Amino acid sequence: MYEVGFGDCFLLGFHDDAGSKYVLIDCGTITEKKAQLDNIVSDIIKTSGERLALVIATHRHKDHVWGFDDPRWANVEVGEVWMPWTEDPQDPRATQIRERHSALALALAGAPSNQNPLEITPARETIAQARARTLQAIALNALTNEKAMATLHSGFAGAPRRSFLPNVDTTCEARTVTGLAGVTFHVLGPTRDAKALASMDPPEGAGYLKWPTRIPKRRVGPPFSQRYQISEPDYVPLGARQTFRFEDRAAIKKSLVEPSGVLAAAALDRAINNTSLVIVVEADGYFMLFPGDAQWGSWQAIMADQKSCAVLEKVDLLKVGHHGSHNATPRGLVEEIILKPLTALFSTKPVKQWPDIPRAKLLAALKVRHAKIARTDDAQNVVGAAFKVSAGLYIEWTG
């Protein structure tokens, strides 16, 4: 697990008498400078000997793929590349989803800027400025640069075979990769069900939500913005049934379908997260779960499938989804399905805009399970014979 800040980058090594083979899952960040990613890419290339059996890009967010914007990948021989089905250029429905995501991201991102809005936090800023910076960060995360996606779709040496998963009409498909003897990849998601993909927040009690214990005092203004207010002289003659004219109802309906501002940015972020590949890697008796940033809708479909649950019950290692947020790790997964001794990996970093990541209740639930926890934002406190820490670069787990 490489230290990419608020992002993901995992290099899996499989070793036998024939030598070592490597699988790369994601490579990106939204908090670190390009120089840090350059160092990580250098280490991946050196460790793998410029050969990767498989590259998996769980989804197109910048914090998962920005590292593929590097010309050195052209010299790395790759056997296969896997991406979610929503990246398939031959699938009209997938193309429609991507185009809608991109259009909304472009509209939200504002004027182009080379400054990462999360790289430096101003000492003082207004609530409006902080909200604007958050919105821009989310939008820019969705606007993955073209070079990174070009590498995944058409780059690398060795003419890798590309697959967009899961395949149609398959659930919990077991796949193998040439050269990786004894390794099985169980593809659990993302779902192809449109309703499930749209369901992104868990119902009450299903996720590790954090409710405020103290509500700060502040001046309370009108509950609705001025555009939705009507004065009493205008209201009385109309009567209750005629308060909202046709154009008012149309505007409200549009705002629900096409939200704006922070609501739109959050919806966009969750929508792309929910297209994440969810994969369990089985090797040498270990089951390792890599769910990308999958959120509630995708998880709901997975946990409703008996075959998928049978695989999840065997999980020994969990890459905690979405850096430890409330809506990427269902309570049922941690407390009811995965009951074996567990190792949990958090690839995360404190960000002012998201102070509750990683979620305290999720950490507490894992500690109740006596899980072995490794966090890139707390690498100095990683303990246990199974872990090896290279300060500032990676945390290695050896099983």
Side-chain angles (χ1 to χ4, degrees), residues 8 24 37 68 135 166 178 191 258 314 333 350-351 363:
D8 270 13
L24 178 61
L37 270 184
F68 294 110
L135 188 152
T178 301
T191 178
E258 301 177 10
K314 301 175 183 179
L333 178 71
V351 176
L363 285 165

Side-chain angles (χ1 to χ4, degrees), residues 326-346:
H326 79 275
N327 55 4
T329 306
R331 291 185 63 174
L333 178 71
V334 172
E335 299 175 10
E336 299 172 17
I337 296 177
I338 305 176
L339 299 178
K340 295 174 63 177
L342 187 63
T343 296
L345 305 181
F346 285 78

Side-chain angles (χ1 to χ4, degrees), residues 310-328:
V311 172
L312 290 172
E313 289 172 355
K314 301 175 183 179
V315 166
D316 304 278
L317 179 139
L318 166 66
K319 194 291 292 190
V320 178
H322 201 214
H323 322 290
S325 71
H326 79 275
N327 55 4

Side-chain angles (χ1 to χ4, degrees), residues 45-289:
I45 292 174
K46 179 181 177 181
T47 302
S48 66
E50 294 189 324
R51 289 187 177 183
L52 295 168
L54 171 65
V55 170
I56 298 174
T58 60
H59 61 296
R60 62 169 37 231
H61 268 153
K62 184 178 181 180
D63 61 335
H64 288 255
V65 302
W66 189 28
F68 294 110
D69 177 6
D70 191 310
R72 290 175 292 175
W73 290 115
N75 298 319
V76 177
E77 184 178 322
V78 174
E80 296 190 32
V81 178
W82 294 356
M83 289 175 272
W85 68 267
T86 50
E87 289 297 330
D88 187 352
Q90 304 303 317
D91 185 328
R93 185 169 162 230
T95 300
Q96 184 182 40
I97 290 172
R98 291 195 311 276
E99 288 178 348
R100 183 173 183 181
H101 289 169
S102 296
L104 182 53
L106 281 168
L108 291 169
S113 172
N114 292 324
Q115 176 64 51
N116 181 345
L118 296 182
E119 197 173 284
I120 300 175
T121 301
R124 299 182 67 180
E125 62 182 345
T126 65
I127 293 175
Q129 288 171 333
R131 184 180 291 123
R133 203 155 56 83
T134 300
L135 188 152
Q136 187 182 34
I138 294 174
L140 290 176
N141 193 32
L143 281 174
T144 307
N145 68 71
E146 295 180 2
K147 290 182 180 179
M149 296 311 297
T151 298
L152 290 165
H153 277 275
S154 58
F156 302 118
R161 174 188 173 189
R162 287 171 167 82
S163 299
F164 304 95
L165 305 173
N167 288 314
V168 178
D169 298 326
T170 62
T171 57
C172 196
E173 179 188 6
R175 299 174 64 90
T176 57
V177 173
T178 301
L180 288 177
V183 182
T184 302
F185 299 84
H186 304 272
V187 183
L188 311 188
T191 178
R192 287 177 177 264
D193 180 77
K195 186 176 180 180
L197 276 178
S199 177
M200 293 169 288
D201 281 317
E204 185 176 352
Y208 290 98
L209 296 168
K210 181 178 180 180
W211 301 102
T213 57
R214 182 179 64 86
I215 300 175
K217 293 182 179 180
R218 60 181 179 180
R219 183 178 297 175
V220 179
F224 303 105
S225 64
Q226 190 172 0
R227 62 183 291 198
Y228 298 121
Q229 295 177 31
I230 185 170
S231 64
E232 187 175 349
D234 292 330
Y235 172 81
V236 173
L238 288 171
R241 292 182 178 274
Q242 301 178 53
T243 301
F244 291 100
R245 296 181 292 272
F246 174 79
E247 54 267 30
D248 296 325
R249 293 196 298 271
I252 292 171
K253 184 176 180 180
K254 182 179 180 181
S255 70
L256 292 173
V257 177
E258 301 177 10
S260 60
V262 175
L263 287 177
L268 173 65
D269 187 60
R270 293 194 299 263
I272 297 177
N273 284 338
N274 232 14
T275 66
S276 291
L277 274 174
V278 179
I279 293 178
V280 173
V281 183
E282 177 187 356
D284 200 25
Y286 287 100
F287 287 75
M288 299 165 282
L289 172 57

